[in-house]
Amino acid sequence: MELAIAAFLLIWVLHLKSSQMITNRDLTDYFEKRQLSTHSHRYVRDCQPTKYGNVTHQTQAGQGLLSSTVTLPITQILNFIDEFEGQWGQTETNSGHIAFINNPAQTVSVLEPLRDGGCKMGARTTAVETAAKHNCLLAVNAGFFNPHTGECLGNIVSYGRLVRNSHGVQNAHFGIRRDGTLVFGYLSEEDVLDETNPFIQLVGGVGWLIRDGEVYLDESLKAECSDTEETGTMEQFFNVKAARSVVGSDKNGRLVLANVDGRTSSEG
């Protein structure tokens, strides 16, 4: 299965009309003091492989685009347990969930914490509480926030409403445009504010894992690195064992959400 994935460590909620709830622990003790990269969009263009030219993001037609019908069942959720040999020869186990969502332009939303205006007022809440207030039946944390003020970080668009403009800060993003196109990768401020085919949903994260079916982790680390977190370097942030959440798409244009359970530095 081909995936276009941007890995996010998360706070906002993706809303899906489905039948189950997904939540996960996060890298709280690792990233809570993190500040997002201040690299320019030109820096990202210049440091990416030549074959991508000046295009710093990937687009894909979402399943059904803006069709008035929704393919049923809306979502399929798979649980997994993966056993593997650890660094010292011991058996380790990973577990989590993968959800495949049909017709994402009709079924997926990016929501502010708790309610509209939650980012501006620094609302702090769980994905479960936000999901309940919006009648969401499937939810996953998404995006970064400032732990001191509660301020949301990165670019955010909810139902076509620009919640936050990060003014060109370069970190991986996931979005859905008005015509149903799925977007993954790095966005300039002009991309975010484009009115010819504006974003109806947009949320930021950190790390782009797979681009055009190829591993893109090293390139992504270069695009987002050099700044040092209060708790460690970007490379440490990428490599630390922990719970992780990723968002992507398959070749049929379905959205794919994957959650790996874990605990910072010991499981994940």
Side-chain angles (χ1 to χ4, degrees), residues 42-250:
R42 178 173 180 175
Y43 174 91
V44 174
R45 290 199 309 267
D46 290 347
C47 76
Q48 72 178 6
T50 304
K51 68 178 180 179
Y52 294 116
N54 290 327
V55 180
T56 59
H57 57 270
Q58 178 176 332
T59 61
Q60 181 180 6
Q63 182 192 44
L65 288 180
L66 292 183
S67 169
S68 59
T69 61
V70 174
T71 305
L72 300 177
I74 293 175
T75 182
Q76 177 186 14
I77 300 175
L78 306 176
N79 300 319
F80 67 86
I81 298 177
D82 178 33
E83 290 189 350
F84 61 97
E85 185 176 318
Q87 183 178 1
W88 309 110
Q90 78 279 19
T91 299
E92 297 189 19
T93 302
N94 275 339
S95 61
H97 324 272
I98 300 177
F100 300 88
I101 297 97
N102 289 323
N103 306 100
Q106 286 85 13
T107 60
V108 177
S109 303
V110 174
L111 301 175
E112 295 184 68
L114 203 59
R115 59 181 180 271
D116 289 354
C119 281
K120 186 176 182 179
M121 65 182 178
R124 303 182 189 221
T125 186
T126 64
V128 173
E129 185 176 5
T130 300
K133 285 184 175 296
H134 291 271
N135 296 317
C136 306
L137 299 178
L138 173 64
V140 61
N141 288 326
F144 278 103
F145 70 102
N146 183 316
H148 307 292
T149 65
E151 176 192 8
C152 299
L153 300 177
N155 296 293
I156 309 168
V157 175
S158 178
Y159 288 101
R161 176 174 55 90
L162 181 64
V163 175
R164 190 176 190 280
N165 178 2
S166 69
H167 302 291
V169 169
Q170 295 300 305
N171 289 97
H173 280 74
F174 158 68
I176 304 174
R177 290 196 179 274
R178 185 169 59 190
D179 68 354
T181 299
L182 307 178
V183 180
F184 302 90
Y186 301 103
L187 303 172
S188 67
E189 186 173 16
E190 289 76 14
D191 293 328
V192 173
L193 300 179
D194 175 37
E195 290 296 327
T196 58
N197 186 19
F199 282 102
I200 57 173
Q201 314 291 346
L202 181 64
V203 66
V206 167
W208 194 353
L209 302 184
I210 299 174
R211 182 174 185 177
D212 291 334
E214 298 179 356
V215 175
Y216 199 70
L217 199 58
D218 289 343
E219 292 86 351
S220 178
L221 176 60
K222 184 177 180 181
E224 301 198 33
C225 70
S226 81
D227 288 352
T228 301
E229 305 180 58
E230 294 181 38
T231 50
T233 65
M234 182 65 77
E235 185 171 0
Q236 289 172 316
F237 181 80
F238 268 52
N239 293 327
V240 66
K241 186 181 292 186
R244 301 285 185 172
S245 297
V246 299
V247 59
S249 61
D250 67 12

